[in-house]
Amino acid sequence: MRLRCAVLDDFQKVATEVADWSPVADDVEVVSFDRHFDGEDALAAALAEFDIVVTLRERVPFPGSLIARLPRLKLLVASGMRNSVIDYAAAEAHGVTVCGTASSSTPPVELTWALLLGLARGIVEENNALRSGGPWQSTVGADLHGRRLGLLGLGKIGSRVAQVGLAFGMRVTAWSQNLTRERAEEVGVELASSKEELLAGSDFVSVHLALSDRTRGLLGPAELALLKPTAYLVNTSRAAIVDQDALLDALRGGRIAGAGVDVFDVEPLPGDHPLRTAPRLLATPHLGYVSQANYATYYGQAVEDIRAFLDGSPVRRLP
């Protein structure tokens, strides 16, 4: 009898199209779900009859309590090689193998600039006006050349965002708790003297930090108050790094020019969430990793993970 594999959050219904699943077709029945299961009870009910689960990024938590309710589960494949919402100890205790896949930093870099440019040039407002017979030119774009781009984080993604900023002729500065002057100079950017100085002096601020106890709530009401009223904030990293209520308050009060956000405390974002109607906000539904090449990698390597597991030699094991 074939094993059953559930593919979660396949919103675009492409998981079985962007990769070749034939290497496991004789052994595995693949069922794709294009809707999100909200809450442990819904997940436990939906996944009760599955032996394998493929999950995207950190969208779906797998705590020990959920794993204990899935007695058939033997293999959990998560896209990416780092996942903070899987209880690895519980997985091991229940005999569940956890594997990952490669993940490219290119898509979130590109989306960061899509949001930043969209904000700076009023793309959404102008497009909506043009298509609806509204005014011809109603916004005045913010220049990038000569302006200061402040990066919170200068890792794989932050450093590539920096390179694009430099190509636009921006003055790029960066800060994080462990960032050194040597690393900043290596990328070709300035090291900000402090988080506060970076926030107060930047025209555009972009967040590229991993979520941890040190970065959770890093930008709260006091920090957002340091931003210029003409400044823009972009967050394609993790929602919890920026206080969502403080951001909403700043947008509603007109204390910053705008924000570009791809990540939220609750995903998918509820239909009545106030961020859906917040002024000065350009928001996307967590598209940072959603690209053709990345999906081909995620699902292609998920197939490899499943085949290797079936052959008794699991690859790319996590953590």
Side-chain angles (χ1 to χ4, degrees):
M1 191 172 78
R2 290 195 301 169
L3 300 179
R4 302 193 74 215
C5 171
V7 179
L8 297 179
D9 292 338
D10 184 19
F11 298 124
Q12 299 91 352
K13 304 178 183 179
V14 296
T16 57
E17 298 176 5
V18 298
D20 178 12
W21 289 75
S22 63
V24 299
D26 292 339
D27 303 295
V28 177
E29 174 194 0
V30 180
V31 179
S32 170
F33 293 98
D34 62 359
R35 66 184 183 90
H36 183 73
F37 294 106
D38 190 14
E40 186 175 305
D41 289 343
L43 276 166
L47 301 178
E49 301 303 317
F50 287 93
D51 310 277
I52 302 168
V53 173
V54 177
T55 183
L56 269 179
R57 306 300 294 152
E58 298 173 320
R59 186 180 302 279
V60 178
F62 278 84
S65 54
L66 173 59
I67 293 172
R69 296 171 68 178
L70 302 174
R72 282 186 54 169
L73 183 63
K74 295 295 180 286
L75 174 65
L76 177 60
V77 178
S79 57
M81 289 302 293
R82 181 173 61 186
N83 195 302
S84 64
V85 298
I86 296 174
D87 187 331
Y88 295 107
E92 183 178 5
H94 287 85
V96 178
T97 299
V98 183
C99 297
T101 74
S103 182
S104 172
S105 61
T106 298
V109 171
E110 294 174 351
L111 184 69
T112 295
W113 280 101
L115 290 173
L116 195 152
L117 288 166
L119 286 167
R121 299 307 298 266
I123 298 297
V124 174
E125 298 95 323
E126 295 290 2
N127 177 258
N128 288 343
L130 186 146
R131 294 172 65 88
S132 64
W136 184 263
Q137 298 184 1
S138 60
T139 64
V140 178
D143 296 287
L144 270 59
H145 185 87
R147 298 294 182 92
R148 183 177 177 185
L149 171 63
L151 300 176
L152 291 168
L154 200 62
K156 278 197 305 182
I157 295 175
S159 60
R160 295 182 67 181
V161 171
Q163 291 167 1
V164 178
L166 292 170
F168 273 119
M170 303 184 79
R171 174 190 172 197
V172 184
T173 60
W175 176 91
S176 69
Q177 285 99 333
N178 296 322
L179 182 61
T180 64
R181 188 172 304 279
E182 290 73 23
R183 169 58 181 165
E185 290 176 350
E186 179 183 321
V187 178
V189 307
E190 302 173 35
L191 175 65
S193 60
S194 67
K195 174 183 65 177
E196 291 75 15
E197 189 272 329
L198 181 140
L199 294 172
S202 296
D203 300 293
F204 299 86
V205 174
S206 192
V207 180
H208 302 288
L209 295 165
L211 181 61
S212 66
D213 290 340
R214 290 197 305 173
T215 61
R216 187 179 300 274
L218 187 72
L219 300 186
E223 288 77 19
L224 294 179
L226 295 172
L227 292 170
K228 302 175 183 178
T230 55
Y232 296 89
L233 174 69
V234 175
N235 185 10
T236 56
S237 183
R238 290 292 183 269
I241 296 173
V242 180
D243 185 313
Q244 303 288 278
D245 291 335
L247 176 60
L248 186 60
D249 188 54
L251 291 169
R252 285 174 169 169
R255 291 192 292 278
I256 60 175
V261 174
D262 185 51
V263 287
F264 307 91
D265 284 340
V266 179
E267 296 185 6
L269 199 64
D272 60 351
H273 197 285
L275 281 174
R276 284 186 179 266
T277 55
R280 304 176 181 84
L281 178 67
L282 177 55
T284 48
H286 205 153
L287 299 178
Y289 59 85
V290 181
S291 77
Q292 292 178 355
N294 232 15
Y295 268 29
T297 297
Y298 287 169
Y299 293 116
Q301 292 194 3
V303 174
E304 294 175 2
D305 289 349
I306 295 169
R307 184 70 264 167
F309 172 79
L310 295 175
D311 292 341
S313 303
V315 295
R316 291 186 285 268
R317 298 190 66 164
L318 299 177

